[in-house]
């Protein structure tokens, strides 16, 4: 029996005390609100890109946005909801079914750049996030051009 929650629902543990994350990068950038906006803006941009949107099999992108938000929250020191729901991130395994060449990587980065710019973070925080996104995108390439 799975204890997984429906995709759009946060667990009771998600009504967390923000003070519990004090000192983490998650808290420094604004916590849940920041990562929710980042995921929303990313998928807003993806939805407007007909060619790239075809890489996303779900008709409704909200569950994908929630997964991205929860993953990033956990990665940067926030709530562990992603792990509670989905287990270890296994990014390469989860992305393996999709053809990710340098073109697709660069388009993904373009959409993430749009989302990140919308946050208007201080330069060091913006650079920290961008460095992570750039490295992650390069690590997921699994096909030649």
């Amino acid at each position: 029996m799975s204890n997984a929650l429906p995709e759009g629902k946060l667990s009771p543990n998600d009504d967390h005390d923000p003070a519990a994350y004090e000192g983490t990068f998650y808290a420094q950038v604004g916590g849940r609100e920041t990562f929710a906006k980042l995921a929303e803006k990313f998928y807003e941009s993806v939805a407007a890109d007909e060619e790239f949107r075809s890489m996303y099999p779900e008709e409704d992108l909200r569950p994908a946005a929630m997964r991205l938000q929860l993953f990033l929250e956990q990665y940067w020191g926030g709530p562990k909801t992603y792990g509670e729901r989905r287990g270890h991130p296994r990014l390469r395994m989860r992305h393996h079914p999709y053809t990710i060449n340098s073109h697709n990587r660069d388009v993904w980065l373009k959409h993430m750049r749009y989302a990140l710019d919308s946050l208007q973070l201080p330069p060091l925080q913006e650079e920290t996030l961008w460095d992570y996104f750039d490295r992650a995108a390069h690590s997921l390439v699994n096909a030649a051009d």
Side-chain angles (χ1 to χ4, degrees):
M1 174 182 213
S2 171
N3 60 1
L5 296 165
E7 280 297 327
K9 305 293 182 191
L10 296 177
S11 74
N13 296 339
D14 289 324
D15 294 327
H16 65 278
D17 176 7
Y21 304 100
E22 199 170 310
T24 65
F25 187 78
Y26 168 80
Q28 292 168 8
V29 297
R32 171 154 292 149
E33 183 178 314
T34 297
F35 289 106
K37 181 177 179 182
L38 180 74
E40 175 187 345
K41 291 295 186 180
F42 173 77
Y43 280 102
E44 173 185 289
S45 186
V46 167
D49 181 337
E50 189 176 325
E51 179 186 347
F52 193 69
R53 171 65 175 90
S54 67
M55 289 189 68
Y56 292 81
E58 294 171 301
E59 186 173 320
D60 181 0
L61 291 174
R62 288 176 296 190
M66 179 61 71
R67 289 189 300 271
L68 175 62
Q69 174 189 336
L70 295 178
F71 168 76
L72 292 172
E73 286 179 356
Q74 180 171 308
Y75 182 86
W76 292 105
K80 306 289 186 218
T81 310
Y82 182 92
E84 292 167 3
R85 284 189 184 178
R86 298 183 54 88
H88 189 280
R90 303 175 299 190
L91 289 179
R92 285 192 57 82
M93 185 197 81
R94 291 186 196 277
H95 290 84
H96 184 72
Y98 307 101
T99 299
I100 304 172
N101 57 25
S102 65
H103 171 74
N104 292 333
R105 175 201 64 212
D106 292 346
V107 173
W108 186 92
L109 283 167
K110 175 188 80 165
H111 293 297
M112 189 53 74
R113 180 81 257 170
Y114 165 80
L116 185 55
D117 287 348
S118 78
L119 301 177
Q120 299 181 328
L121 294 171
L124 184 56
Q125 293 173 348
E126 181 273 325
E127 289 168 19
T128 300
L129 282 168
W130 184 249
D131 179 64
Y132 169 75
F133 292 134
D134 187 58
R135 286 183 293 111
H138 279 79
S139 77
L140 293 176
V141 170
N142 62 16
D145 292 331

